[in-house]
Amino acid sequence: MADETRAGAGAAVSGAVRAVRRWVARCWGEDGRGRSAWARGRVLGALAVVTGVLLAFPRLVPNSPGGLGSLLESFLPWLGLVVVLLLGLALLRRSATALLALLLPAVAWSWLFGGLFQADAGEPDLVVVQHNVSDENADPAGTARALAEAEPDLIALQELLPTALPAYREALAARYPHHEVRGTVGLWSKHPLTDARAVDIRPGAVEGYWSRGLRAVVHTPHGEIAAYVAHLPSVRVRAGGFAAAWRDESAELLGRAIAAEELSTVILLGDLNGTVDDRGLAPLTGQLNVPERGFAFSFPTAFPVARIDQVMTRSATVPQISALPATGSDHLPVAAHVRLD
């Protein structure tokens, strides 16, 4: 009886193997035109290689004309969807060539962005919140209370209107007794602030009053930190391309100010109107540490596609950044953990 059982099991396994072989031959063998799995899907394979090259070497795309390089870098993580689409098409075409080529963009995307999914297990020295509150925000007091619920040490705000400023001050006063405002940007802190001043980041072509930069010294239990709050000019996608010249010029001015900062530890919080992959922010990302984990897409609120609200540091790291629930703004707030060196 045992021999018959073993024989039956062996026959079943052999039958299963033959069935799999027939399925592979049917699915991955020659198609109706006599092409093998390696001959099919060469166009898909080429597209996969191009996607991989764009992911690994986005600087190959020139920024002139039309700022195409910056535009690509602003949405670089979304090339992962292209990889998924190509994978589906490769399976439909039963193309071994395309599947093999897809290894390049899959590895490149995982190398660039896979680590952002990891969670930070350590305790931060500081928690900070960055938020463009919008000059059309109908509930500034509610927005302020929502930000305070995250219990950060610092809260940086942009697009502060004079008419809304009293509401922010009143709502944050109890937990954040120290604050400084210059123009349309402000900083609220649990810790004392000194040596506050405006930072001139106005592009040369901008006329009239324009104050979007602030620097202050934060006296934390861990020592003095130079905190910068900034709102760089907006960028636009137009018929002529990606218009970011003012943003880039303002980033250059802010980068010079931070490079000249005498305090060793720096935290930059701001609506920088660019992602950390965008070469237009190179004057900042070239000298500051960017968040290590978390996508925290912050704009627009209805369907966030990019994180343009940033927290960057010098002599410190940002192990985690995340988006907070929506307020009355068209941006989502972001909260970041900061660990001092």
Side-chain angles (χ1 to χ4, degrees), residues 283-320:
L284 302 170
T285 55
Q287 61 175 316
L288 299 174
N289 296 319
V290 302
E292 298 170 355
R293 302 175 186 88
F295 282 96
F297 291 159
S298 64
F299 183 84
T301 295
F303 186 75
V305 296
R307 186 179 77 241
I308 62 175
D309 295 272
Q310 305 293 351
V311 177
M312 303 181 189
T313 59
R314 186 176 76 192
S315 296
T317 57
V318 185
Q320 186 79 40

Side-chain angles (χ1 to χ4, degrees), residues 30-276:
E30 293 183 353
D31 61 11
R33 298 169 62 183
R35 295 175 301 181
S36 70
W38 295 103
R40 295 192 297 268
R42 289 178 178 175
V43 173
L44 291 176
L47 290 174
V49 170
V50 170
T51 303
V53 171
L54 291 176
L55 278 164
F57 307 103
R59 295 295 175 94
L60 291 176
V61 178
N63 224 17
S64 176
L68 292 179
S70 282
L71 183 61
L72 168 66
E73 291 157 349
S74 296
F75 299 100
L76 203 59
W78 293 97
L79 285 183
L81 292 181
V82 177
V83 178
V84 173
L85 175 62
L86 291 176
L87 174 61
L89 293 174
L91 292 173
L92 286 175
R93 293 284 290 117
R94 305 192 304 275
S95 170
T97 298
L99 289 175
L100 182 62
L102 277 166
L103 289 175
L104 175 60
V107 169
W109 194 96
S110 299
W111 176 264
L112 289 171
F113 304 113
L116 297 179
F117 289 102
Q118 300 175 7
D120 174 38
E123 287 295 322
D125 295 312
L126 297 171
V127 176
V128 301
V129 163
Q130 149 60 31
H131 191 29
N132 179 327
V133 295
S134 174
D135 54 11
E136 298 180 353
N137 193 325
D139 186 18
T143 295
R145 289 192 295 269
L147 300 179
E149 286 178 2
E151 299 185 351
D153 295 89
L154 301 175
I155 298 176
L157 305 180
Q158 297 83 41
E159 293 198 12
L160 289 170
L161 292 180
T163 53
L165 188 54
Y168 288 106
R169 284 175 170 155
E170 181 178 355
L172 295 173
R175 288 193 251 183
Y176 299 90
H178 313 283
H179 79 277
E180 294 288 345
V181 175
R182 296 294 185 277
T184 58
V185 301
L187 178 67
W188 274 257
S189 173
K190 289 183 177 181
H191 313 294
L193 300 175
T194 61
D195 300 328
R197 57 177 172 81
V199 179
D200 185 8
I201 58 173
R202 181 177 63 175
V206 175
E207 299 179 352
Y209 179 75
W210 196 92
S211 181
R212 292 188 178 186
L214 163 67
R215 179 262 190 195
V217 177
V218 186
H219 298 267
T220 77
H222 310 284
E224 295 182 348
I225 297 173
Y228 284 76
V229 182
H231 184 190
L232 302 189
S234 299
V235 298
R236 295 287 186 270
V237 180
R238 298 171 176 162
F242 192 58
W246 286 8
R247 191 278 312 272
D248 295 351
E249 183 181 349
S250 192
E252 180 68 34
L253 294 171
L254 181 57
R256 292 176 190 172
I258 292 175
E261 174 58 55
E262 295 182 354
L263 288 179
S264 60
T265 304
V266 172
I267 298 179
L268 167 62
L269 307 103
D271 174 3
L272 304 186
N273 274 300
T275 69
V276 295

